[in-house]
Every structure is written in C-alpha cells, then in structure tokens.
Amino acid sequence: MFASYLKQVEHCAVCGEAWGHIRADDAPPWLTILIVGHILVPPAIAVEAWELWPGWVSMTLWPALALALSLLILPRAKGLFIAAIWKTRAPGSEQSNP
Ligand SMILES: [Zn+2]
C-alpha cells in the first residue's frame, strides 16, 4: 500500500496503465515551494510583526510547519504532474516516443 513515499507505481492496480516511465522531474518541488510559501509567508510576516513569542519559538515553528506542509504536498504535487503528463500524452520520459 505505502511502498514508497515518492516513487510512483509502475502500473495502475485497476487497469494496468503504465505510470513508471513518466518523469515529473523538478515540477513537483517547484509547485510545493510555491504553495508552501504562499501559505506560510503571509502569516509569518503578520505574526512576527507582533513579537508574540521569543525568537526560538519562531525559529522552530515556521521551519517545522514548512517541513510538514512540504511533506504533505510534495507527493500530491508529483501525482498531479504525472497525471497531467499522462493526460496530455506528453512523452514525460527520457526515451522518445515509439
Ligand atoms: Zn487505471
């Protein structure tokens, strides 16, 4: 079930469609950084302007939230790009199309 965190399955368990050859490359991390940044930076700037807590809390809280959100979003972003590559019939692999 949860064989790998980021490695996509070779084939669909239902219909056998091949997924293993599709490469999303740098797109999933790019989207993850974009989303995590837009979620965390505005509240961080807003909260830090008030100086509600000591500096070590900020130095722990924001990176921990960024890490947790990134780990949550990254595999979903990869799935999204693999699905988009598959749907648009883009090659999405190192080999040229036959
Ligand atoms: Zn399928």
Side-chain angles (χ1 to χ4, degrees), residues 37-63:
H38 280 84
I39 290 174
L40 282 185
V41 170
I45 291 172
V47 167
E48 293 304 319
W50 291 86
E51 294 184 23
L52 296 174
W53 47 57
W56 69 266
V57 174
S58 298
M59 299 290 278
T60 308
L61 176 71
W62 300 118

Side-chain angles (χ1 to χ4, degrees), residues 2-26:
F2 196 75
S4 172
Y5 172 68
L6 269 183
K7 179 97 176 83
Q8 74 256 36
V9 295
E10 285 297 317
H11 299 279
C12 174
V14 176
C15 66
E17 179 75 24
W19 295 100
H21 68 287
I22 298 175
R23 296 181 42 134
D25 287 340
D26 294 341

